[in-house]
Each structure stands twice: as structure tokens, then as C-alpha cells.
Amino acid sequence: MTDEIFMREALRIARNAEGRTSPNPLVGAVVVKDGKIIAEGWHRQAGTPHAEVHALNMAGELARGATLYVTLEPCSHFGRTPPCANKIIDAGISRVVAAMSDPNPKVAGRGFELLRAAGVAVEVGLLEAQARELNEDFIKWVTRRLPFVTMKFACSLDGKIATVAGESQWISGEASRRFTHHLRDLNDAILIGVGTVLADNPSLTTRLVEGKNPVRVIVDSRARTPLDSTVVNDKSARTIIATTTNAPQEKISALKARGVEIITAGDAERVDLKLLMQELAEREITSVLVEGGGTIHFAMLKAGLVDKVLAFVAPKIIGGSGALTAVEGAGFEKLSDAVELKNFTASTFGEDILLSGYVKEA
């Protein structure tokens, strides 16, 4: 039970850097001696010291004979920084308790091997489920070379995301909208279809104090994004437009001239979304927040690219057969083909209900 208390503390402090460490994972480390925490550390940003290094530097000579609790296997290779396993050995740590092994199949277990070879006792698996949830985006990216995709939308009780006249601001309440900006702050990128750009001219930024703006990704097969749109001109965040070989070259050139990055994903009428996700992963984008509209939602679901769904449901009934719904497209003909969610939870944000779940694998 004592081990669990210290590991929970390591998991807690790891979240201090949420949204800041990509493409590295969130990691927390706690040094304990004689039943007391003597030092803590967490990884802050890629290219900076890892959590173990911060904690061991704080502990100093007191680390000798102590136990290190860490949320992820200490690294054993030279990447942006030196290997942590050697630092742990040199510091004189006698026991390491890790929540999980490194998910990267190229390095998994090697850190533990180094520690055990040096006489350090190693235990693995304490609160592993919580550790994996902490780094679900990193795990998918490093094992499958695809970003973790969260689809988020706000709708009325009858599933509408706008009225028949197209009015959508605001269906959800202030608390839900504030949490949406927190989600943008946590994710590497935010993705929408060009229809949303044409209809709303959004900025897709994070309106939080010290918030981080995600990379803006626009799915736009014909390069219809207006040159005077906010995502092209405000320069508050990097903008990527995903298009196809069918897009007019003069439009592509004009967008590039304004600093927009172009990804050509496919030569058909529509953007190849899986190819786009692979291209984003190559650019070290490990997490993507999809904010609609309904056409891109269905396309992402049908392509099997969505990992998690967040639906804010407001206590309003809008009605109208022509009013847009959260998921449009052709739809699934059979109930057996419908997307099902698991680990389903519900919570409240003001008067709204947030329904959350993970997409079941087919």
C-alpha cells in the first residue's frame, strides 16, 4: 500500500507538464528514503532532463540506498538526452519501482536490464493502467506511428450542432467551452474540415492564460481555404492544409506564400485521412483533437482513426430535419457497423453533461 501511495504521487506530478512534452511522454519520479519523500521531479519538455534526473539532482547524496518510483521505465539509450538508467546506478539507488515498461518495442526492457545487471532491485507494473492512460497518445504514436485522435463535439439533447439557420454559438455552456480550450492546450494539433472554415472562420487557438496553441490542420481537398481566413493570416499557430493532387496549383502556391504548410494526401477526390495521420505522426504530432463538423467526424470514424469521443450534451432541444448533427456523412447502414464505445463515463460541466468513451476496436 505504501508503494502505491508514492506511485500515485509520481503519476500526479507527471501531469504538471501536460501538453508540453510531446513527442516525449509525461513522466514523474519520486525518491523515497526511510518511508519519506526526499525528492521529486517530472519531465518538462522534449530535449530537457528527464524526470529521474530532476529528482536525483534534488536528492543528491541522500539518493544512496533510496527507492525511486517512476511512472515509466528509465531510458537506456542516448536520444535528445543521456540515458537515465546510468544516472540511477551512479546515484546509488537500491530499488526502482516502475509503473510500466517503455512501450517502444526497440528499447522496451533494456533500462530494467541495465539496472538489474548493476544490482538494483526492479519491480514493474504498479498502477500500470493509470500510467498507460497518462500516456495514451505517446503509446499509440511510438508503437503504431499514428497520433492519438480525440473527437470532440457539443450538441443539443437531440443531437444537433446547429439550428436550421446554421446558428451554433453557443449550444454548450461556458464551463464546457472553457474545458474545450483546455483540451486544445493538451493536444498537439486540432483538425477540422474546410466547411467549418468557410462557415465560421475560426481561429482554433487556446484562449487560456499561458495556453499553448495547437497546430491547426484543415482537411481541404480542393484548397478552398480563403486567403483572408484567420487560420491563414493570424500567425498565432502553425497551419497545415491537407489537400490532394486535384487541388489547383495556383491556390496551393498562394497558400504557401502566406506561410501555410501543405500536405498532399492522396490523388483522389477526397483527402486520404489515414495517410494524413501518418504524415502528421512523421512530424512528431502525437495527439489530434478533431472538432468537426459532422462530415469530417463521420469520415474519421469510418476510417477507424478515432480513439476517443468526447460529447458535450446541452439541455436544449433544437429540432429540424435540416439542422446539422454531430456526425453526418453517409452513415452506417447496419447497426452492427455502428461505432461502439467502451469505458464510458459521464460528468457534468455546468448544466452540460460530458459523455466520454474509447472506440472499441473492430
Side-chain angles (χ1 to χ4, degrees), residues 106-288:
K106 296 180 180 179
V107 297
R110 294 183 183 177
F112 296 144
E113 290 175 7
L114 278 176
L115 294 171
R116 289 183 175 117
V120 179
V122 175
E123 299 171 26
V124 186
L126 180 63
L127 300 183
E128 181 174 356
Q130 291 88 331
R132 294 185 71 85
E133 188 271 336
L134 175 72
N135 280 308
E136 56 194 7
D137 51 353
F138 170 75
I139 293 171
K140 184 180 179 184
W141 178 75
V142 80
T143 59
R144 297 175 57 189
R145 268 315 195 231
L146 289 170
F148 186 90
V149 176
T150 301
M151 189 178 83
K152 171 264 165 187
F153 57 84
C155 65
S156 63
L157 195 61
D158 55 338
K160 307 296 185 180
I161 61 172
T163 67
V164 290
E167 184 182 350
S168 61
Q169 296 181 349
W170 298 103
I171 288 178
S172 59
E174 182 179 347
S176 298
R177 299 197 300 273
R178 189 165 54 247
F179 185 71
T180 293
H181 288 289
H182 174 65
L183 290 172
R184 292 180 180 182
D185 179 61
L186 296 184
N187 281 269
D188 291 346
I190 180 171
L191 182 147
I192 63 171
V194 68
T196 302
V197 175
L198 296 172
D200 300 333
N201 190 27
S203 62
L204 305 179
T205 53
T206 302
R207 289 181 277 284
L208 297 175
V209 177
E210 298 183 359
K212 170 183 66 65
N213 290 330
V215 176
R216 300 176 291 203
V217 181
I218 315 299
V219 178
D220 183 4
S221 61
R222 300 290 294 172
R224 293 187 295 147
T225 301
L227 296 179
D228 61 352
S229 62
T230 301
V231 293
V232 171
N233 288 287
D234 72 353
K235 309 305 178 188
S236 61
R238 176 179 163 201
T239 297
I240 296 174
I241 292 182
T243 188
T244 68
T245 55
N246 289 326
Q249 284 305 306
E250 62 272 17
K251 292 186 177 181
I252 296 294
S253 298
L255 288 165
K256 285 183 175 180
R258 283 166 170 76
V260 173
E261 182 179 346
I262 301 294
I263 293 179
T264 303
D267 55 7
E269 286 297 315
R270 296 186 180 278
V271 171
D272 183 329
L273 294 173
K274 184 168 185 179
L275 179 58
L276 172 59
M277 292 300 111
Q278 291 170 342
E279 290 286 343
L280 294 179
E282 286 299 313
R283 289 161 173 77
E284 296 190 336
I285 291 174
T286 67
S287 57
V288 175

Side-chain angles (χ1 to χ4, degrees), residues 3-52:
D3 282 345
E4 184 174 318
I5 291 172
F6 295 133
M7 185 61 77
R8 289 193 183 279
E9 173 64 6
L11 289 165
R12 185 190 70 80
I13 63 174
R15 292 191 180 275
N16 287 338
E18 277 188 312
R20 302 299 182 271
T21 63
S22 182
N24 285 2
L26 292 165
V27 183
V30 174
V31 181
V32 175
K33 196 168 189 177
D34 299 327
K36 296 181 179 180
I37 295 175
I38 60 172
E40 294 184 341
W42 61 90
H43 183 44
R44 289 163 168 77
Q45 186 178 0
T48 66
H50 290 184
E52 302 94 317

Side-chain angles (χ1 to χ4, degrees), residues 48-77:
T48 66
H50 290 184
E52 302 94 317
V53 174
H54 284 298
L56 293 172
N57 286 344
M58 180 184 291
E61 283 300 313
L62 291 175
R64 297 204 168 272
T67 296
L68 174 69
Y69 295 84
V70 63
T71 57
L72 183 68
E73 176 183 359
C75 64
S76 59
H77 62 290

